[in-house]
């Protein structure tokens, strides 16, 4: 599986009914090689931290530092049952089995740190820090019969905490803090026989032992911990020793694992062994290492940051628990919020598509601390992956200490895609969408539906990961110029689980092209964000490269008028404090590039318009290749090849008007253009900062550090539009051509606000709502809304080519509706000042001019294509429209009295040559 948007086009034969379940045969597997779902199962919880897990015959044993357990869904302090640092649960149901063992200590805090089952499954061993078991004396080690849960004679005494156990047919190996076992010197590692007698096995360490595991052939024991020496030999954090004597088989001198990093956990499979590592401080090693059992040499290494606490192998996949927050060194996500569970092939460190998650939780806030697999449950038959730790949520829902996942069934639906549609080429509509996300399926299938049809017009597959959800696209050429079409997209996973349909998006097929878009595309941009979307967090890329962006913090979409006119043209408004847009794709830092955007602002606080940085969900710690505005409104273009290098415009541009800005860096130095003219340059500086990892383009804001003339705000308060980045330099002539293309003749778009609007309410039959800021539509009990527009005459030499009604839902939680809402002519008389339900006008419900569907997201904007001929023939240049429905859910829209004029309904008219 890759993190790139590799796409396989499929035959469009597998249909999904728009209103129903997918008409495809369910798959039997997740995205290979993942074989465990990410759907958490109901599991009893603890009131503290789980440090240890072991499994035998369908029973999972959990130990740690806790005093009670409670059912799934029960809040802390409710429905609790005593469980003193130990509980046994059925692997298939997640419920306690009735095996009750308590571990206590006279002073301090008792804890169970290690649990291990003998190879024959008959004996459960426990280690930790405790002084008694069920009230009878013990010294941090005990053994139990798994069939009866009774304690077995096992006279082992450790002088300190036992942190890990490993059992062979004839021995039990211990790791921990102790210096003596059974009264004899054993430094941090020891071995006893099955009767509890200390053996002659010696593998003394100078620091704590944290992990121990026996190789599958029984010939060697692998040790992990904090140590720097084993048996006097230099070997840091990891060593292989002889299973019979403890003599060193393989050492790993300092440098193989960094000085401040330790091994927290070990696991093996038939061919390899695997480490989970934790470091302290910056630049440490926190990831995982895979090593071959035949040579004990490294197979691969994962350098993600975020201490790994637990590792386990299931069907050739290494599952791990950690709090990874930066995997940029692995080509994955930059520093950001933590992920707590990963999956990787035992043969390849690349992250696979398995991303259930917990939070950091209790204690040291480490999240998951231990993992175990239960295979072939004796009554259920399934396999289960259990996770324990200090977490208090799983996949966003409350769940303390324990959770589990199964190999089947996969029941989670992919998230709903976000889509956009536009037409800049005659005879074509481009449909783009941000790929969906499924926590255990990285390869999803997408179906595109047109005009509410039940059979997809396009089917395609694509990969996605939580931090990189690449854009996918479809060019619809089976369309007619001047006609409007709507589209919805649905995602399906390998098991047949389907997302909801995306909200509908629509576009009118152009017949004359788009001069500005044509000019940009002729110069081959890396990405071209036109920023015309009216809702959602998806910034569509029109370059053909599918390099989309992601809005963060909720910038306002659908702002008009846009910088460049055109059908459905809109802009993006950033608030100057929390909103920005980042590229979903990472790039190697270029030393030849062009930045281009349009901006409009009257701010006196400046801000970063566009630039390059090393983070997407936080302010970047490395940032340059940017254009920012000073408090006085001047524009600065800067790079950082070891020192600040900036050029600045003489004039200010915070005048509330749209301006075009372009910056280039290349062999001819730095150049900064505004409104098609060169305003500042330097021919000496030809490179930017060298990034060790990939960087991301951002618009609207990022950290500014100590850049010259740094503005008061690092974030831009104003409008942005038509943003493009090129990884080559544009000439002065091409910059001027772009600017001039923005005013080139093309189809003209006129947006007309209503001269009157109101709604009526059957349940308040005498009430007039003409001054209300909202409009309402519902079938039962009935709301109807009425709008009046004055339709302008077509400019000379043109005709009306398309018409649409654009509305925005209010932000109220109840504003969205799942029903269809029809636009029909009003045939009776009405007025905003006097109309109520009792004197409402007649409407022609049989003449549907357009239909609004899928308007179920509060705050979203929707464009409803209308019957062009009906609008063009409006008598006396005035048209009255009604919004009606037969459904039962209400739709709430902003009216012309809305506090922001851009929220008001609009009649969008496109005029062009006949």
């Amino acid at each position: 599986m890759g993190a790139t948007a590799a796409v396989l086009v499929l035959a469009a034969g597998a249909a999904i009914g728009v209103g129903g379940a997918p008409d495809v045969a369910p798959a039997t597997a997740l995205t290979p090689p993942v074989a465990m779902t990410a759907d958490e199962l109901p599991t009893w919880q603890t009131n503290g931290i789980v440090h240890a897990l072991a499994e035998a015959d369908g029973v999972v044993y959990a130990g740690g530092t806790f005093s009670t357990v409670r059912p799934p869904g029960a809040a802390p302090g409710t429905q609790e049952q005593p469980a003193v640092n130990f509980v046994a649960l059925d692997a298939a149901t997640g419920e306690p089995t009735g095996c009750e063992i308590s571990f206590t200590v006279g002073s301090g805090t008792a804890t169970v740190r290690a649990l291990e089952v003998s190879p024959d499954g008959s004996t459960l061993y426990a280690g930790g820090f405790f002084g008694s078991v069920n009230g009878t004396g013990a010294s941090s080690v005990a053994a139990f019969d798994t069939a009866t849960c009774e304690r077995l004679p096992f006279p082992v005494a450790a002088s300190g905490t036992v942190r890990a156990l490993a059992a062979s047919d004839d021995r039990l190996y211990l790791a921990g803090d102790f210096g003596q076992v059974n009264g004899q010197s054993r430094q941090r590692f020891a071995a006893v026989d099955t009767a509890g007698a200390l053996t002659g096995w010696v593998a003394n360490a100078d620091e704590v032992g944290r992990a121990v595991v026996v190789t599958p052939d029984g010939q060697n024991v692998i040790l992990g911990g904090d140590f720097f020496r084993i048996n006097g030999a230099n070997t840091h954090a990891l060593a292989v020793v002889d299973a019979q004597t403890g003599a060193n088989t393989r050492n790993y001198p300092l440098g193989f694992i960094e000085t401040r990093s330790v091994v927290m956990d070990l696991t093996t499979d038939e061919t390899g062994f695997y480490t989970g590592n934790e470091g302290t401080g910056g630049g440490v090693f926190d990831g995982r290492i895979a090593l071959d059992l035949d040579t004990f040499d490294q197979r691969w290494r994962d350098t993600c940051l975020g201490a790994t606490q637990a590792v386990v192998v299931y069907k050739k996949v290494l599952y791990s628990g950690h709090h990874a927050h930066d995997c940029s060194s692995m080509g994955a996500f930059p520093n950001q919020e933590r992920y707590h569970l990963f999956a990787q092939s035992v043969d390849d460190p690349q992250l696979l598509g398995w991303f259930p998650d917990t939070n950091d939780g209790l204690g040291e806030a480490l999240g998951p601390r231990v993992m175990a697999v239960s295979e072939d449950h004796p009554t259920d038959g399934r396999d289960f992956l259990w996770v324990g730790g200090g977490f208090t949520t799983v996949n966003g829902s409350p769940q303390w200490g324990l959770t589990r996942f199964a190999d089947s069934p996969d029941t989670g639906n992919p998230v709903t895609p976000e889509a956009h549609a536009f037409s800049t080429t005659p005879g074509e509509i481009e449909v783009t969408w941000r790929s969906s996300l499924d926590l255990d399926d990285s390869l999803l299938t997408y179906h595109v539906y047109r005009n509410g049809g039940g059979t997809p017009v396009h089917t395609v597959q694509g990969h996605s990961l939580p931090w990189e959800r690449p854009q996918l696209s479809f060019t619809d050429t089976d369309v007619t110029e001047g006609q409007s079409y709507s589209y919805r997209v649905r995602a399906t996973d390998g098991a047949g689980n389907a997302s909801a349909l995306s909200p509908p998006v629509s576009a009118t097929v152009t017949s004359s092209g788009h001069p500005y878009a044509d000019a940009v595309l002729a110069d081959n941009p890396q990405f071209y964000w036109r920023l015309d979307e009216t809702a959602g967090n998806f910034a569509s890329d029109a370059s053909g490269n599918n390099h989309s962006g992601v809005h963060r913090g909720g910038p306002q979409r659908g702002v008009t008028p846009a910088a460049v006119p055109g059908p459905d043209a809109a802009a993006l408004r950033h608030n100057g404090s929390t909103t920005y847009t980042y590229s979903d794709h990472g790039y190697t830092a270029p030393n030849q590039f062009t930045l281009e955007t349009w901006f409009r602002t009257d701010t006196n606080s400046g801000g970063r318009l566009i630039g390059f940085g090393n983070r997407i969900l936080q302010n970047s710690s490395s940032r340059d290749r940017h254009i920012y505005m000073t408090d006085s409104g001047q524009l600065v273009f800067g790079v950082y090849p070891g020192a600040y290098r900036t050029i600045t415009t003489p004039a200010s541009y915070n005048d509330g008007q749209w301006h075009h800005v372009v910056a280039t860096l290349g062999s001819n130095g730095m150049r900064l253009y505004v409104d098609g003219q060169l305003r500042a340059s330097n021919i000496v500086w030809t490179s930017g900062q060298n990034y060790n990892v990939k960087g991301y383009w951002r618009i609207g804001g990022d950290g500014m550090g100590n850049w010259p003339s740094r503005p008061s705000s690092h974030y831009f308060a104003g409008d942005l539009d038509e943003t493009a980045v090129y990884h080559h330099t544009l000439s002065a002539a091409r910059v001027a051509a772009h600017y001039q293309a923005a005013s080139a003749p093309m189809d003209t778009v006129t947006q007309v606000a209503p001269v009157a609007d109101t709604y009526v309410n059957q349940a308040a039959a005498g009430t007039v709502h003409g001054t209300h800021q909202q409009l309402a539509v519902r079938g039962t009990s009935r709301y109807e809304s009425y709008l009046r527009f004055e339709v302008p005459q077509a400019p000379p030499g043109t005709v009306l080519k398309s018409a649409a009604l654009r509305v925005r839902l209010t932000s109220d939680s109840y504003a969205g509706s799942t029903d269809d809402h029809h636009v029909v002519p009003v045939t009776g008389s009405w007025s905003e000042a006097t109309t109520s339900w009792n004197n409402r006008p007649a409407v022609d419900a049989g003449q549907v001019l357009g239909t609004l569907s899928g308007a179920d997201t509060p705050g979203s904007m929707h464009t409803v294509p209308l019957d062009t001929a009906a609008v063009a023939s409006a008598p006396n240049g005035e048209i009255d429209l009604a919004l009606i429905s037969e459904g039962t859910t209400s739709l709430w829209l902003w009216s012309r009295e809305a506090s922001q004029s851009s929220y008001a309904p609009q009649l969008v008219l496109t005029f062009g040559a006949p």
Side-chain angles (χ1 to χ4, degrees):
M1 182 205 68
T4 58
V7 179
L8 171 65
V9 178
L10 304 178
I16 300 179
V18 170
D23 185 19
V24 293
T28 57
L30 307 167
T31 304
V34 172
M36 191 66 64
T37 76
D39 305 319
E40 77 279 11
L41 300 173
T43 306
W44 276 60
Q45 311 172 72
T46 64
N47 69 340
I49 299 173
V50 173
H51 290 287
L53 291 172
E55 187 272 346
D57 196 30
V59 176
V60 169
Y61 305 97
T65 308
F66 52 87
S67 59
T68 65
V69 293
R70 63 184 185 276
T78 66
Q79 304 181 56
E80 292 189 337
Q81 298 180 12
V84 184
N85 302 313
F86 176 87
V87 64
L89 306 108
D90 188 295
T93 66
E95 299 174 353
T97 64
C99 172
E100 297 181 1
I101 305 172
S102 64
F103 295 82
T104 57
V105 69
S107 61
T109 302
T111 183
V112 175
R113 287 277 180 172
L115 294 169
E116 175 78 352
V117 173
S118 61
D120 65 4
S122 65
T123 303
L124 171 68
Y125 299 102
F129 177 72
F130 48 85
S132 64
V133 176
N134 291 340
T136 302
S139 185
S140 295
V141 183
F144 306 87
D145 187 316
T146 57
T148 65
C149 202
E150 297 295 326
R151 186 178 179 186
L152 298 172
F154 195 62
V156 178
S159 63
T161 300
V162 175
R163 297 180 178 275
L165 298 169
S168 67
D169 290 335
D170 60 353
R171 292 186 177 184
L172 179 69
Y173 299 90
L174 295 75
D177 303 354
F178 51 82
Q180 290 186 337
V181 173
N182 292 357
Q184 299 186 46
S185 176
R186 290 293 188 274
Q187 302 298 314
R188 284 88 185 189
F189 293 99
V192 297
D193 65 20
T194 55
L198 187 67
T199 71
W201 185 89
V202 176
N204 286 333
D206 60 336
E207 296 289 347
V208 174
R210 297 184 182 275
V212 59
V213 66
V214 182
T215 58
D217 63 6
Q219 299 300 305
N220 291 282
V221 177
I222 306 166
L223 311 179
D226 301 16
F227 53 81
F228 292 86
R229 302 178 72 84
I230 294 289
N231 293 328
N234 291 323
T235 183
H236 173 51
L238 181 67
V240 182
V241 299
D242 186 271
Q244 293 302 311
T245 67
N248 296 49
T249 302
R250 174 65 181 268
N251 299 325
Y252 297 90
L254 191 65
F256 182 76
I257 295 176
E258 283 74 9
T259 306
R260 293 169 296 162
S261 295
V262 302
V263 170
M264 298 296 294
D265 196 19
L266 291 164
T267 193
T268 67
D269 64 5
E270 296 83 356
T271 65
F273 65 100
Y274 310 89
T275 73
N277 301 270
E278 175 184 85
T280 302
V284 296
F285 176 54
D286 273 346
R288 294 153 290 285
I289 308 173
L291 303 100
D292 288 325
L293 279 173
D294 54 353
T295 64
F296 303 127
D297 291 338
Q298 178 176 298
R299 183 187 303 166
W300 56 254
R301 178 180 294 234
D302 174 318
T303 54
C304 290
L305 294 176
T308 303
Q309 304 295 312
V311 286
V312 70
V313 174
Y314 173 73
K315 291 188 175 180
K316 296 189 178 301
V317 172
L318 179 69
Y319 294 88
S320 57
H322 42 73
H323 54 264
H325 56 87
D326 188 346
C327 287
S328 56
S329 63
M330 297 292 295
F333 57 89
N335 196 62
Q336 58 182 56
E337 288 85 352
R338 295 172 167 184
Y339 293 95
H340 296 87
L341 295 167
F342 280 165
Q344 295 159 290
S345 167
V346 295
D347 298 317
D348 188 337
Q350 186 176 30
L351 298 179
L352 300 173
W354 187 79
F355 295 100
D357 203 12
T358 72
N359 65 350
D360 291 343
L362 307 170
E364 299 167 271
L366 298 176
R369 291 172 178 258
V370 63
M371 308 176 85
V373 172
S374 173
E375 297 190 51
D376 195 20
H377 190 276
T379 59
D380 183 281
R382 291 183 293 167
D383 300 344
F384 298 89
L385 172 63
W386 280 70
V387 180
F391 50 84
T392 58
T393 67
V394 176
N395 288 344
S397 298
Q399 176 69 26
W400 284 43
L402 287 167
T403 191
R404 62 198 174 97
F405 308 93
D407 61 340
S408 64
D410 177 10
T411 59
N413 293 329
V415 301
T416 304
E418 293 184 46
H420 183 56
F422 58 92
S423 178
T424 57
T425 302
E428 295 181 359
I429 288 180
E430 190 78 8
V431 184
T432 61
W433 65 95
R434 187 186 188 200
S435 52
S436 182
L437 177 65
D438 190 288
L439 295 182
D440 47 32
D441 286 294
S442 58
L443 179 64
L444 301 175
T445 300
Y446 299 88
H447 302 273
V448 182
Y449 301 89
R450 183 174 60 199
N451 292 342
T455 300
V457 295
H458 181 67
T459 302
V460 67
Q461 284 188 326
H463 283 286
S464 60
L465 297 168
W467 59 90
E468 189 167 11
R469 293 167 54 184
Q471 174 178 295
L472 300 174
S473 57
F474 161 57
T475 302
D476 193 356
T477 58
D478 187 19
V479 292
T480 302
E481 292 180 5
Q483 296 297 311
S484 297
Y485 299 82
S486 65
Y487 301 86
R488 305 184 81 175
V489 181
R490 169 175 269 154
T492 307
D493 69 11
N497 301 304
S499 74
L501 283 164
S502 66
V505 293
S506 60
T508 301
V509 186
T510 184
S511 58
S512 61
H514 193 294
Y516 184 80
D518 292 344
V520 171
L521 294 172
D523 287 317
N524 190 28
Q526 277 287 312
F527 64 79
Y528 174 26
W529 299 341
R530 301 192 63 217
L531 304 176
D532 292 337
E533 305 83 24
T534 57
N537 295 313
F538 169 52
S540 170
D541 175 25
S543 73
N545 295 322
N546 286 329
H547 291 167
S548 55
V550 181
H551 301 307
R552 187 160 168 86
Q556 183 181 333
R557 281 130 288 181
V559 174
T560 56
V564 179
D568 297 325
L572 184 70
R573 178 164 295 163
H574 285 290
N575 64 11
S577 58
T578 59
T579 68
Y580 62 96
T581 306
Y582 65 86
S583 63
D584 196 42
H585 179 77
Y587 301 88
T588 301
N591 282 325
Q592 291 194 27
F593 63 88
T594 300
L595 311 180
E596 178 177 35
T597 194
W598 290 76
F599 69 93
R600 176 177 59 184
T601 186
D602 58 5
T603 183
N604 292 315
S605 299
R608 195 175 193 249
L609 278 70
I610 181 171
F612 198 68
N614 65 342
R615 296 178 182 174
I616 55 178
L617 302 185
Q618 301 173 346
N619 281 344
S620 296
S621 58
S622 295
R623 56 264 170 155
D624 77 332
R625 296 167 172 84
H626 52 192
I627 303 170
Y628 58 93
M629 178 177 280
T630 68
D631 288 354
S632 64
Q634 294 170 281
L635 296 174
V636 180
F637 173 39
V639 293
Y640 185 79
Y644 298 116
R645 302 289 187 244
T646 60
I647 55 177
T648 305
T649 63
S652 297
Y653 298 96
N654 53 346
D655 55 9
Q657 303 298 312
W658 279 112
H659 295 284
H660 177 242
V661 60
V662 175
T664 69
L665 178 74
S667 58
N668 61 348
M670 303 173 67
R671 295 174 180 266
L672 182 58
Y673 303 83
V674 182
D675 295 337
Q677 299 294 316
L678 182 65
R679 305 297 184 183
S681 64
N682 182 291
I683 63 172
V684 176
W685 300 326
T686 60
S687 64
Q689 182 174 352
N690 181 29
Y691 288 59
N692 294 324
V693 296
K694 289 183 178 180
Y696 302 83
W697 294 107
R698 292 173 50 149
I699 66 172
D702 198 357
M704 289 291 297
N706 295 312
W707 277 83
S709 303
R710 185 184 69 181
S712 301
S713 173
H714 297 180
Y715 285 73
F716 180 66
D719 301 339
L720 295 173
D721 202 5
E722 302 287 341
T723 299
V725 170
Y726 313 76
H727 283 190
H728 55 269
T729 57
L730 294 184
S731 67
R734 290 306 299 160
V735 173
H738 286 203
Y739 179 67
Q740 292 161 7
S743 56
M746 61 176 295
D747 288 354
T748 60
V749 178
T750 301
Q751 300 179 39
V752 182
V755 295
D757 62 13
T758 191
Y759 78 94
V760 296
N761 180 359
Q762 186 179 14
T767 304
V768 175
H769 300 282
T771 60
H772 205 282
Q773 290 190 340
Q774 299 181 1
L775 303 174
V777 190
R778 187 173 63 199
T780 306
S781 66
R782 204 167 189 85
Y783 295 136
E784 290 183 1
S785 288
Y786 313 115
L787 304 101
R788 178 173 295 138
F789 296 94
E790 293 180 350
V791 181
Q793 292 186 348
T798 69
V799 297
L800 181 64
K801 300 181 70 173
S802 68
L805 176 65
R806 182 178 294 175
V807 295
R808 185 188 290 268
L809 275 61
T810 71
S811 56
D812 299 308
S813 60
Y814 52 79
S817 170
T818 56
D819 297 319
D820 289 345
H821 304 272
H822 303 301
V823 183
V824 301
V826 177
T827 57
S829 61
W830 65 281
S831 76
E832 189 178 80
T834 63
T835 296
S836 66
W837 176 265
N838 289 333
N839 63 354
R840 67 190 185 281
V843 301
D844 186 355
Q847 185 183 357
V848 177
L849 305 180
T851 300
L852 174 59
S853 301
D856 52 10
T857 305
S860 59
M861 181 182 286
H862 298 268
T863 301
V864 185
L866 300 178
D867 184 318
T868 305
V871 176
S873 61
N876 302 318
E878 190 172 83
I879 188 168
D880 288 8
L881 303 174
L883 277 164
I884 64 173
S885 174
E886 297 302 322
T888 59
T889 59
S890 55
L891 182 74
W892 288 90
L893 312 168
W894 291 110
S895 73
R896 75 187 190 106
E897 284 81 12
S899 58
Q900 296 194 45
S901 59
S902 61
Y903 287 5
Q906 294 177 333
L907 185 64
V908 183
L909 306 172
T910 302
F911 298 99

